[in-house]
Amino acid sequence: MNRIRKGDQVLVITGKNKGQRGDVLRVADDRVFVSNVNLIKRHTKPNPQANQAGGIVEREASIHLSNVQLFNPATNKGERVGTKTLEDGRKVRVFRSTGEVVDA
């Protein structure tokens, strides 16, 4: 079970973007793409077949999973995540500090 999933709000805990917060756009193995965090400029050629203009495009680069934490709105901090199995057999993610269930 992944600790961080698409759509989660995360907090960057290390690196040049430390302290920034955003939503996870996608997860690729051990890396995540977070909206408006770790922006890079990419020089692209125009592609008329894909109806894509050329120029300098700014987009998100990936961040390693170890450099982000799931954001807990109750405490307003990034927190560690664990898993717990409920009575009905479902596995859910929980915040380690409070034991509060992340998934509804």
Side-chain angles (χ1 to χ4, degrees), residues 29-90:
D29 292 330
D30 60 348
R31 302 191 75 79
V32 291
F33 292 82
V34 183
S35 63
N36 297 322
V37 176
N38 199 21
L39 294 174
I40 58 167
K41 289 185 182 334
R42 177 133 172 96
H43 296 71
T44 58
K45 284 186 176 180
N47 186 352
Q49 292 174 337
N51 203 11
Q52 185 179 34
I56 300 173
V57 179
E58 198 169 37
R59 66 178 195 188
E60 293 88 3
S62 66
I63 302 173
H64 197 270
L65 268 175
S66 64
N67 296 336
V68 295
Q69 280 187 333
L70 198 60
F71 182 74
N72 187 351
T75 60
N76 217 23
K77 293 181 184 175
E79 295 193 10
R80 297 188 306 159
V81 178
T83 58
K84 190 181 222 177
T85 306
L86 299 177
E87 296 84 34
D88 59 356
R90 289 187 303 140

